[in-house]
Amino acid sequence: MRTSSTNEAVISTATPTATPVVAGPERKPPAVLSRMLSLHDFEAAARARLPRPIFGYIAGAAEDNASRDDNRAAFDEYVFVTRVLRDVSRRTQSVEVFGERYASPFGIAPMGLAALSTYRGDLVLARAARDAGIPAIMSATSLIPMEELVRECPATWFQAYLPGDQARIDALVDRVRRAGFRTLVVTVDIPISANRENNVRSGFSTPLRPSLRLAWDGMVRPRWVVNTFLRTLARHGMPHFENSFAHRGAPIMSSSVLRDFSARDNLSWEHMAAIRRRWQGPLVIKGILSVDDALMARRIGADGVILSNHGGRQLDGATSPMRMLERVVDALGSGYPVMIDGGFRRGSDVLKALALGARMAFVGRPFNYAAAVAGEAGVRHAIALLRAEVDRNMVMLGVDACAGLNAQALIRRG
């Protein structure tokens, strides 16, 4: 888990199991998890549990899904060089970011509308991350007020989409600070809404529009209707977009209310510099894909960057972050925290990114699927699977710490 002076975490040197940690000694993990052997397995299981529009929103990307698919393909361009007969019996996969030590070199990426995947989904993800000692980033397009989540999981990072004018930016930043978040992640790769044809085809919109098609999609997934949607309505009322601005946003379902998609095409680095002056904690800029932008982020005072093409959900045809990772790290130097997301599914993916200089990898869709399959127990199980793969692969690579990985552990095909 994340460590402090009073609670030091130790990563076991024995081969870890994939058994999830569950709250309470009498609770058993859901039976479905015995069939979840890798992060890949959660996707098909989530498809069977979620209404078609919800699953389509999570799984799809922009236009032809080329960037989404290339995020996965990029990992196959690298193969490992193993080392043998190296004592790794005292190995640890813990890493330090912004003065905090985390138990593993991966975290949970921000995912909008997670509370549609499972009941109180944003809290489910944050709790699982907290208990596993890894970072989680709360999405701006979440359906649970940020103040509620950070009270329970104070180490969570918050990800913001910037409104289109400085006054509303300042108000949002002030709200995040008052809520108690310590790390602010600003996503900068959405100056305009993307062409997400898959949303139209699957019947997804924000807000969701009541229709016969939507009703049918719910009827064929009654477990989701009862356990997620009706349970939320009964206990908390209609979900709203709670955290996009300093004020509450639109409801998630409405036949007439329009969501505020304020223009962001006027935003510039000057707005980021203003945020830097206003925000006193660690500031991370997410959505970087070029060396020049990474250098500019450091120049305006950002404490770190996350290389990302938004999971392929913005510009279809944008390069994979993995293809830019080594160049950005070379430009910024190994001491500057360069993080990454996009297509991570295996412990080997995480270690390839670390070997190219990443400090931390963030995983999105698989943890969302895990939450849909089995709630918090599903996310814990997914974390345990990925953690076990990282540990096993470190042994076979002959490294006893993440810092021991470098480009010499990889060969690029061709």
Side-chain angles (χ1 to χ4, degrees), residues 23-45:
E26 303 301 322
R27 293 185 61 184
K28 294 182 179 180
V32 66
L33 295 181
S34 65
R35 304 194 300 273
M36 302 295 108
L37 306 182
S38 75
L39 296 194
H40 291 291
D41 293 335
F42 285 102
E43 183 168 355

Side-chain angles (χ1 to χ4, degrees), residues 267-344:
L267 295 174
S268 69
W269 286 104
E270 293 178 3
H271 293 93
M272 290 305 308
I275 292 173
R276 175 69 286 177
R277 292 190 294 270
R278 199 173 193 91
W279 180 261
Q280 299 304 309
L283 175 65
V284 180
I285 300 182
K286 177 179 179 292
I288 299 293
L289 276 182
S290 79
V291 170
D292 287 346
D293 284 347
L295 290 170
M296 181 62 77
R298 186 178 65 178
R299 192 172 301 130
I300 64 96
D303 298 287
V305 296
I306 299 178
L307 305 187
S308 175
N309 63 13
H310 217 98
R313 298 164 76 89
Q314 283 300 108
L315 173 63
D316 200 29
T319 185
S320 163
M322 277 293 290
R323 302 185 194 282
M324 294 302 302
L325 176 57
E326 194 169 18
R327 301 181 194 181
V328 171
V329 171
D330 286 345
L332 294 176
S334 59
Y336 188 84
V338 176
M339 294 161 282
I340 188 170
D341 69 16
F344 287 85

Side-chain angles (χ1 to χ4, degrees), residues 30 46 49-51 54-55 58 111-128 143-144 223-233 236 239 367-379:
R49 285 164 169 75
L50 292 173
I54 307 302
F55 180 83
I58 300 169
M111 289 172 285
L113 310 183
L116 291 184
S117 297
T118 193
Y119 176 71
R120 309 301 277 169
D122 301 295
L123 277 167
V124 162
L125 294 166
R127 287 174 187 144
L143 304 179
I144 295 173
R223 179 166 46 185
W224 176 88
V225 172
V226 173
N227 294 336
T228 300
F229 188 66
L230 293 181
R231 187 180 176 191
T232 300
L233 285 179
H236 308 282
F367 288 134
N368 205 329
Y369 295 142
V373 170
E376 191 171 333
V379 182

Side-chain angles (χ1 to χ4, degrees), residues 35-82:
R35 304 194 300 273
M36 302 295 108
L37 306 182
S38 75
L39 296 194
H40 291 291
D41 293 335
F42 285 102
E43 183 168 355
R47 183 192 293 270
R49 285 164 169 75
L50 292 173
R52 184 169 176 260
I54 307 302
F55 180 83
Y57 165 75
I58 300 169
E63 295 183 352
D64 299 320
N65 297 323
S67 287
R68 182 201 66 182
D69 297 343
D70 188 55
N71 284 350
R72 286 296 308 145
F75 293 107
D76 292 334
E77 295 180 8
Y78 297 92
V79 292
F80 287 116
V81 178
T82 61

Side-chain angles (χ1 to χ4, degrees), residues 76-156:
D76 292 334
E77 295 180 8
Y78 297 92
V79 292
F80 287 116
V81 178
T82 61
R83 300 295 304 275
V84 299
L85 299 176
R86 297 163 73 91
D87 183 359
V88 292
S89 60
R90 299 180 61 82
R91 64 191 176 277
T92 174
Q93 59 181 268
S94 67
V95 296
E96 184 175 312
V97 183
F98 306 138
E100 300 282 354
R101 183 153 291 276
Y102 296 97
S104 292
F106 59 84
I108 299 181
M111 289 172 285
L113 310 183
L116 291 184
S117 297
T118 193
Y119 176 71
R120 309 301 277 169
D122 301 295
L123 277 167
V124 162
L125 294 166
R127 287 174 187 144
R130 176 199 64 195
D131 294 345
I134 63 173
I137 308 176
M138 186 184 199
S139 171
T141 54
S142 45
L143 304 179
I144 295 173
M146 65 173 76
E147 293 82 1
E148 180 179 346
L149 183 140
V150 78
R151 280 196 299 269
E152 188 167 342
C153 303
T156 306

Side-chain angles (χ1 to χ4, degrees), residues 141-297:
T141 54
S142 45
L143 304 179
I144 295 173
M146 65 173 76
E147 293 82 1
E148 180 179 346
L149 183 140
V150 78
R151 280 196 299 269
E152 188 167 342
C153 303
T156 306
W157 303 4
F158 184 80
Q159 174 261 326
Y161 294 126
L162 296 185
D165 62 86
Q166 192 64 56
R168 292 205 295 172
I169 292 172
D170 292 347
L172 174 60
V173 171
D174 289 347
R175 180 187 171 190
V176 176
R177 175 185 52 77
R178 287 194 304 269
F181 289 93
R182 298 195 291 268
T183 301
L184 176 62
V185 180
V186 181
T187 295
V188 295
D189 59 355
I190 54 166
I192 193 170
S193 297
N195 182 21
R196 299 185 186 176
E197 299 165 5
N198 63 286
N199 286 356
V200 179
R201 294 190 176 98
S202 67
F204 183 85
S205 63
T206 54
L208 290 166
R209 305 294 181 189
S211 66
L212 290 176
R213 178 182 178 183
L214 186 62
W216 173 255
D217 286 324
M219 288 172 60
V220 298
R221 296 290 185 268
R223 179 166 46 185
W224 176 88
V225 172
V226 173
N227 294 336
T228 300
F229 188 66
L230 293 181
R231 187 180 176 191
T232 300
L233 285 179
R235 297 188 178 184
H236 308 282
M238 178 64 70
H240 283 61
F241 290 92
E242 296 283 359
N243 305 309
S244 296
F245 306 107
H247 55 81
R248 195 182 203 194
I252 189 58
M253 180 176 288
S254 174
S255 60
S256 58
V257 175
L258 298 177
R259 185 179 167 196
D260 186 349
F261 287 101
S262 298
R264 300 182 178 95
D265 56 356
N266 65 309
L267 295 174
S268 69
W269 286 104
E270 293 178 3
H271 293 93
M272 290 305 308
I275 292 173
R276 175 69 286 177
R277 292 190 294 270
R278 199 173 193 91
W279 180 261
Q280 299 304 309
L283 175 65
V284 180
I285 300 182
K286 177 179 179 292
I288 299 293
L289 276 182
S290 79
V291 170
D292 287 346
D293 284 347
L295 290 170
M296 181 62 77

Side-chain angles (χ1 to χ4, degrees), residues 400-414:
D400 59 5
C402 294
L405 283 164
N406 55 47
Q408 293 181 349
L410 298 177
I411 292 177
R412 191 161 188 167
R413 296 180 189 271

